[in-house]
Amino acid sequence: MTQFKAGYILDIIASVISSFENSKDDKFDADSLKMKGLLKHITSFDVTFPFERSIDYNNLNPILATLNNIITRGLPTRAPILLENEISKALSVSTRDIRNTSEIYFVEKDYKINWQTVFELFHIVDPDVNVQRENYLGQLGNEGEWNFLNNKLRDTPFVKQIFQSQRPFKTINNNLGAGRSVDFSFEIPYLNTFFIVEDRKSVFEKFYTKGIIFEFDGQHHKSVGYRHYDKYREEQADEQHFDTLRQSSDERELNDEIVRTFKNDIFKIFEKNYNRSIPDFAAEFILLFTPIAVARIQKTLIEYFLSKPEVLSSEKIRIAIIERDVPCGALAIQSFSDFFHNIKNLIIDDHSLP
């Protein structure tokens, strides 16, 4: 599995965000930093290839290299004109007074989308999905962890989508490796900042994220040796701004500290999105997530073609794209083809697409 970064954003959505940020006096306003963190989060995605990738960086296809730079700049970067036009036409979106109102108006319904709605929807969770054990995509250390996730946290079913299971501890704090992992973790997708002053003149800003570790402890964690080791792990996690919450396997009710944690605003937003009506917000999902999906498809195609350049010499290739939420497949391929041929004409290159 490989992680990539790519994402498009429509001009009208970017205007909503920038208008809100420009209304703030403080460059490092907390809400603006939260939005920056969300954008960074949703432009990261994982891809699994059915072969071992190997790219000859000394002999890259110049068109694909240029296209890659276009797609991955900005994170997110401006959406292709084709995408802007097709979505605006399909949704009957009006951008009138957008620079002054920082809102998007839908012509065919009495509704407008503002910064708060954009902010909330960027907390991505699939509405009303009841994940069962057989289709849970995380890795579990034991069945007790599923009991914690499915039964102890039954009032917050969305956590099955946002918790990372069995995250290696070294990715939180490299001081503790040796194959150790945490039961569940949630890295809060908001940016926080502090400043480093050097020579009393130079000021550097440093961004970081916070997180929460959830441990489901069996009886062996009550031994003296384990208590000392757990304390050490908690200290190592705290160094990287991760809190550790523990649920003992012999406790029937959910730990009070965990209950209080789920009352935080970010989890309320995830819960709100989980309970949203998909038909009622279909247009908003398309505005926000079709551009993201298109960029992911195009980035994946680029990486595939760079790994297997011989495929571009084929007369025809077959591509299957399964859409489970927003339309994106046909738009991604058409836009990719347009980009490819436009760049080819600019640099007078003889490469072509099947």
Side-chain angles (χ1 to χ4, degrees):
M1 183 178 292
T2 306
Q3 185 169 96
F4 297 119
K5 295 182 181 296
Y8 291 133
I9 188 169
L10 300 179
D11 280 355
I12 50 179
I13 298 295
S15 295
V16 169
I17 296 172
S18 61
S19 294
F20 175 84
E21 292 177 344
N22 292 337
S23 69
K24 299 291 182 178
D25 295 330
D26 184 3
K27 177 183 177 183
F28 299 103
D29 173 76
D31 287 334
S32 297
L33 285 175
K34 288 178 181 179
M35 180 65 84
K36 285 181 171 63
L38 286 169
L39 291 174
K40 181 180 179 181
H41 177 69
I42 65 174
T43 51
S44 301
F45 65 107
D46 295 327
V47 177
T48 301
F49 292 91
F51 56 84
E52 190 166 340
R53 295 173 61 247
S54 177
I55 297 176
D56 181 3
Y57 289 99
N58 294 318
N59 191 30
L60 292 178
N61 180 310
I63 301 177
L64 294 177
T66 303
L67 182 49
N68 182 72
N69 290 339
I70 292 173
I71 293 174
T72 58
R73 68 184 178 186
L75 296 175
T77 191
R78 296 182 69 179
I81 293 295
L82 170 70
L83 200 54
E84 291 270 4
N85 291 340
E86 290 299 320
I87 292 178
S88 294
K89 183 171 60 177
L91 300 181
S92 299
V93 172
S94 170
T95 59
R96 65 180 184 272
D97 299 326
I98 187 65
R99 294 181 182 176
N100 297 322
T101 66
S102 71
E103 294 171 336
I104 299 170
Y105 291 84
F106 293 88
V107 174
E108 294 182 351
K109 59 178 180 176
D110 184 21
Y111 179 78
K112 59 188 177 184
I113 185 171
N114 53 28
W115 185 91
Q116 185 63 33
T117 304
V118 172
F119 174 74
E120 290 179 357
L121 290 178
F122 272 151
H123 294 70
I124 299 178
V125 64
D126 219 347
D128 198 29
V129 173
N130 185 16
V131 178
Q132 299 298 316
R133 177 68 180 89
E134 58 270 17
N135 54 23
Y136 175 65
L137 296 181
Q139 301 298 316
L140 296 171
N142 53 61
E143 285 303 311
E145 292 175 12
W146 175 252
N147 174 55
F148 170 69
L149 201 63
N150 191 57
N151 298 324
K152 291 286 194 292
L153 300 182
R154 59 186 175 276
D155 293 333
T156 54
F158 57 86
V159 300
K160 294 176 183 176
Q161 299 183 45
I162 65 173
F163 278 11
Q164 182 177 1
S165 59
Q166 298 298 311
R167 175 175 176 171
F169 201 102
K170 66 180 180 180
T171 65
I172 297 173
N173 190 327
N174 201 37
N175 290 335
L176 201 158
R180 301 290 185 175
S181 60
V182 301
D183 292 343
F184 299 101
S185 63
F186 174 65
E187 189 161 353
I188 300 169
Y190 297 159
L191 291 184
N192 303 275
T193 187
F194 64 89
F195 299 96
I196 303 173
V197 181
E198 293 184 358
D199 303 327
R200 297 183 181 180
K201 294 181 181 180
S202 303
V203 179
F204 301 92
E205 60 178 304
K206 184 177 176 71
F207 295 105
Y208 66 95
T209 55
K210 298 179 180 180
I212 307 171
I213 293 170
F214 296 85
E215 296 283 15
F216 186 70
D217 293 341
Q219 295 299 307
H220 56 284
H221 282 267
K222 294 183 178 181
S223 68
V224 175
Y226 258 99
R227 288 205 304 269
H228 283 296
Y229 177 64
D230 288 344
K231 184 175 184 297
Y232 172 70
R233 278 176 50 128
E234 290 173 15
E235 292 170 349
Q236 294 295 305
D238 186 63
E239 283 186 3
Q240 301 302 319
H241 313 287
F242 272 73
D243 296 327
T244 302
L245 304 181
R246 296 186 175 276
Q247 175 73 34
S248 178
S249 61
D250 61 356
E251 292 179 351
R252 299 186 63 180
E253 299 300 323
L254 196 60
N255 182 314
D256 288 343
E257 194 173 8
I258 296 178
V259 172
R260 286 194 298 271
T261 296
F262 283 118
K263 293 180 181 179
N264 290 341
D265 287 345
I266 187 168
F267 292 113
K268 290 180 180 178
I269 293 174
F270 277 114
E271 183 177 26
K272 182 177 180 179
N273 288 343
Y274 183 80
N275 292 319
R276 287 185 193 270
S277 165
I278 296 178
D280 290 345
F281 285 87
E284 289 78 2
F285 291 159
I286 291 172
L287 278 170
L288 299 178
F289 303 130
T290 288
I292 296 293
V294 165
R296 291 183 177 189
I297 293 170
Q298 293 182 347
K299 173 63 176 174
T300 304
L301 285 175
I302 290 171
E303 294 295 329
Y304 180 83
F305 290 142
L306 289 176
S307 301
K308 291 183 172 292
E310 69 277 5
V311 173
L312 289 176
S313 301
S314 305
E315 180 181 350
K316 181 182 294 187
I317 58 174
R318 294 159 62 89
I319 300 173
I321 299 170
I322 302 173
E323 297 174 348
R324 292 197 175 97
D325 33 43
V326 294
C328 57
L331 288 170
I333 300 303
Q334 182 59 55
S335 173
F336 185 91
S337 178
D338 289 351
F339 264 136
F340 191 97
H341 290 105
N342 289 337
I343 296 170
K344 174 183 176 180
N345 292 335
L346 282 173
I347 66 176
I348 314 175
D349 187 272
D350 59 357
H351 286 91
S352 61
L353 283 176

